[in-house]
Amino acid sequence: MTNSAALLPALALTFNALVWGTSWWPFRQLQSQGLHPLWATVIVYAIAVAVIALLRPRAFAQLLRTPALWVLMLASGTTNAAFNWGVVIGDVVRVVLLFYLMPLWAVLLARFLLDEPLTRAAGWRVAMALAGAAIVLWPDGASGWDALPLPRALPDWLGVVGGFSFALNNVMLRREAHRPDEGRALAMFVGGVAVAGVLAAALAASGRVAWPPLPAPAWAGLAALLAALFLASNMALQFGAARLPANVTAVVMLGEVVFASLSAVALGAGRLTASLWLGGGLIVAAAVLAAAGPRTAPAH
């Protein structure tokens, strides 16, 4: 492929990374208007599901008759619920870096679900990702058991859980690559509605989060715009990933970390400390090395 022919697919993938890397901001705006990020996820993804239903109604039949897509639905739903919630309530840079521990989990999941060998190179990637996570999570000034580099706050756990489910999502996408695109896309969006909806309803019933407010033009319009951006970014991902090598796609997708970090620091929603620079560098390096081999592109 010539450089000019590769430019448009690369720009499409960059757009996808930009949408996801800056999605924390509209979700925070929705929360400021009384819409918890879990309810926002339900509404935004329900709009996307409705659009797919109108344009590709046969996708529902594919989803209903394919149990493997149900696993993809659960993995994608958990990914999006955890990510969207985490970047709203936590330090965006920290949550995104913990989310991108995905290569660590992908190595282990691919071993059990795809029978891929656990190579020495994969072991080094796991070690790098673990070292990076330990540096990011290392508490300042703590001693004894309190000094263990473990997730402690809810945003940390949401980042880790989201990264694990993201890895499962991508492993399932690789295993089900022969399925039609619309069936896989529908499974991922329905998962966002189902997982976030069940979790939000359970938390609201227990009084831990508020029920969604009555529809208002301001937040309803923003939710519709966000749904349109997510649909467009999904189309951009499929366009770019189909025209570029998988390893190139995976590296370009890491631009999400850059967009998230820069936007969060610029808008006061995150900070870049020395530990985040060092630990984040190791995590991103592990992801880049993971992309060096043939992979199916990541997808939210």
Side-chain angles (χ1 to χ4, degrees):
M1 178 180 290
T2 64
N3 290 337
S4 58
L7 178 60
L8 189 57
L11 289 175
L13 293 175
T14 302
F15 170 74
N16 178 272
L18 174 64
V19 169
W20 279 103
T22 58
S23 64
W24 63 269
W25 187 84
F27 275 111
R28 288 197 176 193
Q29 299 308 303
L30 290 171
Q31 186 190 42
S32 71
Q33 298 180 47
L35 194 64
H36 189 277
L38 288 174
W39 289 121
T41 300
V42 172
I43 293 170
V44 168
Y45 280 64
I47 295 172
V49 169
V51 172
I52 294 175
L54 288 174
L55 299 179
R56 296 287 189 273
R58 290 181 295 181
F60 280 94
Q62 298 170 21
L63 178 59
L64 290 174
R65 66 171 181 259
T66 312
L69 291 181
W70 306 346
V71 179
L72 177 60
M73 181 176 69
L74 178 62
S76 179
T78 304
T79 297
N80 288 288
F83 181 84
N84 295 342
W85 190 4
V87 294
V88 167
I89 65 173
D91 182 294
V92 173
V93 179
R94 184 180 175 99
V95 171
V96 169
L97 287 175
L98 292 175
F99 182 81
Y100 268 91
L101 284 173
M102 183 270 295
L104 183 159
W105 309 121
V107 168
L108 302 177
L109 289 170
R111 176 70 184 89
F112 291 105
L113 297 178
L114 301 177
D115 288 329
E116 290 188 358
L118 188 59
T119 63
R120 180 177 299 179
W124 278 112
R125 294 199 301 269
V126 168
M128 288 178 63
L130 282 174
I135 294 172
V136 169
L137 292 171
W138 205 282
D140 295 329
S143 60
W145 289 105
D146 291 335
L148 290 177
L150 299 172
R152 286 177 171 80
L154 178 59
D156 288 350
W157 281 110
L158 290 171
V160 172
V161 170
F164 176 84
S165 53
F166 186 35
L168 178 58
N169 176 80
N170 291 335
V171 169
M172 291 304 299
L173 280 174
R174 288 164 58 193
R175 200 174 83 167
E176 304 302 318
H178 59 285
R179 307 284 181 190
D181 288 343
E182 61 266 24
R184 290 179 288 147
L186 180 64
M188 290 187 286
F189 282 115
V190 169
V193 175
V195 174
V198 169
L199 184 56
L203 292 174
S206 65
R208 297 184 180 182
V209 305
W211 291 97
L214 293 174
W219 71 255
L222 180 56
L225 176 60
L226 192 53
L229 285 172
F230 280 163
L231 280 169
S233 70
N234 185 275
M235 293 170 59
L237 172 65
Q238 295 193 42
F239 173 83
R243 291 163 176 80
L244 291 176
N247 56 338
V248 175
T249 295
V251 171
V252 174
M253 289 292 291
L254 284 172
E256 181 180 338
V257 177
V258 177
F259 289 127
S261 300
L262 292 179
S263 61
V265 171
L267 296 174
R271 57 193 182 94
L272 286 172
T273 62
S275 61
L276 284 179
W277 275 110
L278 180 56
L282 288 172
I283 291 171
V284 171
V288 171
L289 290 175
R295 302 283 186 203
T296 294
H300 274 284

